[in-house]
């Protein structure tokens, strides 16, 4: 059956919009009525439906007070409005798209770092106005011409450190063109690609469909920026483009002479409206065709002409020990040899296809005399893989493969049956590392070079790992705060502390923060590769330095000691330092006591090391506790010679 309307897979609600609508509906049910500031999303039908559910609309945030609940729209809100709502005691349910929240943080962080935030987008759009409010002096440009004007105004602008972001629904070409100008002219420019992936996918798919159809229909609210951008993109590829809000706006005249039409929709368009438009379009196009095709015409159209080298789709009708038979709607009988079914010689045909399956194949040979056609699924699969590999270079797609061997100068990764050479420098491993250890590992990589004629493909694992590392580092720096806890991994050790990876960023734990016990080297308590629970003591975002701690300061060692021991108790202690006048011993981690030289043995000794050594465990009696000065006197002698007179003067505690 011929397809009259091609519907974009990405049409309709994106994740952020769906999340906002779900939050609003749920909040309305839980609170028995709540508010939204302006339209929650750019779609009048959805806003009306929310109103029926108890989500009332107001444009005056100042009219709300304690006891009210307000939903913050998916585009985000002005920071000063959010601050005012908090002061008024209004309960806020933040339905701002997570992508928009990320840009708000980037803009605020840029200004904190002394950089000039630059936003590429529509200056009057609610999202852009909201983003701009997260810094004191934003610059908003609607495209490359505005960027050029700013640079021309003052030569010193070129020396300004800038951080460039974009509206989530910005047309990619507009953003990239603006960035190229800034990158070329400015001496210190940083870019964050903040165009929503769903938006980019939607725009790319719309452009692709528009280039294949006679008519293109775009559905969405007229106030929606992403719908307007979709319309602009489609108009570049299709001569007849119509933007509508619902099926009522469709006219039969619009589809005159149209045999196939395309349909896409903005991110704020609900599925019900899309479905209604799709059905109406299909009926209008059928009616516009204006005639019934004869049985003979239908029969002739149903019989395909097969040509060697073309793709053909058919239905599996039988599976035999030697071949798979396929009905391709042609006069010739078509079949696939088992050797042409799959690259895997051990694969069973019934595991790959089943009777009744639709299968796309490549025509190897057509024999009109004997009335058969040889097909190949394997060759078509290989062709598709090569096409995907070639597209991956342009689109910088991340692919997954398995390392199969170590080669001269690098490794080989199998990506869907294609051998991809990865140079050692792009393997993501340190120089001189044993690359054979990577064999059989699954890895992610980007394709950097393809020569299909020579069947040569080169890739890079490092570009993916570096990007992931940078993303992880940005995540850490965007959310780090004093007191925050992390589970980290010990990366390296020095005499004065250890460096711990807390997610792509290394922080330093000074030796004094590793343990309450006295230690001489970090190796006494940890080693490279160990997992440590750490918390942030302090950080310098500009210098990219983080100080971490391991010791739990919520537990005071002296309180632990006092809760466990009293004068007269015997403790098993560790000798931590030998002095001329005695030895210091650890009673509990972080609390030491003094064993005076006169209390080490039941005889006179010249120096403590004649009897004791550092690290030695001994039993000692607690003879005195000075709570005010937090000092403890210990005695080994008291356990060796219990008959010593109690009246004997205690040796003073020294340090």
């Amino acid at each position: 059956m011929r397809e009259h309307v091609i519907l974009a897979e990405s049409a309709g609600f994106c994740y952020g919009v769906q999340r906002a609508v779900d939050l609003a509906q749920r909040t309305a049910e839980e609170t028995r009525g709540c508010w939204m500031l302006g339209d929650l999303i750019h779609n009048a039908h959805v806003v009306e439906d929310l109103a029926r559910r108890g989500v009332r609309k107001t444009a005056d945030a100042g009219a709300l007070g304690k006891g009210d609940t307000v939903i913050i729209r998916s585009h985000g809100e002005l920071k000063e409005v959010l601050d005012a709502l908090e002061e008024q005691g209004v309960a806020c349910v933040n339905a701002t798209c997570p992508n928009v929240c990320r840009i708000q943080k980037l803009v605020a962080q840029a200004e904190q770092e002394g950089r000039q935030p630059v936003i590429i987008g529509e200056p009057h759009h609610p999202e852009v106005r909201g983003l701009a409010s997260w810094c004191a002096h934003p610059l908003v440009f609607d495209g490359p011409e505005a960027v050029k004007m700013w640079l021309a105004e003052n030569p010193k602008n070129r020396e300004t450190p800038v951080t460039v972001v974009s509206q989530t629904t910005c047309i990619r070409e507009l953003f990239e063109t603006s960035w190229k100008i800034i990158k070329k002219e400015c001496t210190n420019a940083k870019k964050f690609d903040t165009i929503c992936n769903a938006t980019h996918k939607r725009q790319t798919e719309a452009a692709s469909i528009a280039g294949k159809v006679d008519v293109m229909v775009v559905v969405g609210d007229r106030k929606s920026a992403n719908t307007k951008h979709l319309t602009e993109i489609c108009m570049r590829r299709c001569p007849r483009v119509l933007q509508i809000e619902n099926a009522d706006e469709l006219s039969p005249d619009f589809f005159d002479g149209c045999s196939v039409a395309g349909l896409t929709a903005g991110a704020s368009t609900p599925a019900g409206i899309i479905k209604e438009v799709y059905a109406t379009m299909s009926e209008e196009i059928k009616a516009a065709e204006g005639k019934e095709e004869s049985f003979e015409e239908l029969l002739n159209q149903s019989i395909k002409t097969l040509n060697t080298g073309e793709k053909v789709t058919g239905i599996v009708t039988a599976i035999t020990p030697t071949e798979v038979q396929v009905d391709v709607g042609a006069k010739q009988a078509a079949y696939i040899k088992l050797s042409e079914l799959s690259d895997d010689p051990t694969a069973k045909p019934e595991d790959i296809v089943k009777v009744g399956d639709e299968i796309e194949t490549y025509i190897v040979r057509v024999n009109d005399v004997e009335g058969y056609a040889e097909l190949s699924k394997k060759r078509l699969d290989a062709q598709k893989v090569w096409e995907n590999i070639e597209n991956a270079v342009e689109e910088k797609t991340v692919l997954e493969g398995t390392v199969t061997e170590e080669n001269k100068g690098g490794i080989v990764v199998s990506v869907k049956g294609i051998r991809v050479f990865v140079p050692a420098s792009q393997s993501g491993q340190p120089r001189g590392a044993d690359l054979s250890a990577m064999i059989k590992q699954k890895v992610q990589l980007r394709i950097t070079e393809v020569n299909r004629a020579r069947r040569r493909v080169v890739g890079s694992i490092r570009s993916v790992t570096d990007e992931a590392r940078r993303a992880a580092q940005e995540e850490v720096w965007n959310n780090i705060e004093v007191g925050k806890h992390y589970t980290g991994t010990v990366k390296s050790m020095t005499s004065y502390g250890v460096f711990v990876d807390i997610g792509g960023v290394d922080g330093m734990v000074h030796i004094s923060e590793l343990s309450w016990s006295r230690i001489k080297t970090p190796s006494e308590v940890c080693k490279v590769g160990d997992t440590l629970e750490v918390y942030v003591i302090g950080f310098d975002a500009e210098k990219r330095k983080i100080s971490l701690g391991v010791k739990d300061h919520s537990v005071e060692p002296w309180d632990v000691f006092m809760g466990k021991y009293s004068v007269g108790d015997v403790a098993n202690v560790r000798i931590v330092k030998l002095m001329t006048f005695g030895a210091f011993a650890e009673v509990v981690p972080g609390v030491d006591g003094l064993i005076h030289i006169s209390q080490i043995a039941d005889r006179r000794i010249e120096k403590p090391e004649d009897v004791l050594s550092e690290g030695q465990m001994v039993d000692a009696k607690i003879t005195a506790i000075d709570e005010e000065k937090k000092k403890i006197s210990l005695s080994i002698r008291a356990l060796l010679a219990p008959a010593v007179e109690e009246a004997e003067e205690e040796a003073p505690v020294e340090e």
Side-chain angles (χ1 to χ4, degrees), residues 346-361:
T346 63
K348 297 179 181 179
E350 55 269 24
D351 293 335
I352 301 173
V353 293
K354 293 180 173 56
V355 173
D357 283 355
E358 185 176 84
I359 184 171
E360 189 177 17
T361 62

Side-chain angles (χ1 to χ4, degrees), residues 39 41-50 221 223 245 268:
D39 293 339
I41 66 172
H42 278 161
N43 189 281
H45 300 278
V46 175
V47 171
E48 289 170 6
D49 180 64
L50 290 173
D221 195 287
K223 291 180 290 184
E245 291 191 350
S268 301

Side-chain angles (χ1 to χ4, degrees), residues 299 301-306 312-315 326-332:
L299 181 62
Q301 290 175 9
S302 69
I303 299 176
K304 296 178 182 175
T305 300
L306 303 183
V312 64
T313 301
I315 304 295
V326 181
D327 178 4
V328 294
K331 58 185 178 181
Q332 297 94 341

Side-chain angles (χ1 to χ4, degrees), residues 32 75 141 147 155 174 190 225 256 284 391 428 446 470 486 498 524 529 541 567 570 594 605 652:
R32 295 185 180 179
H75 287 307
F141 301 131
V147 172
L174 200 71
K190 185 189 294 186
D256 285 345
E284 296 289 6
N391 290 336
R446 281 195 176 90
R470 286 193 296 271
Y486 293 92
V498 299
E524 293 179 40
V567 173
V570 175
L594 175 67
I605 59 175

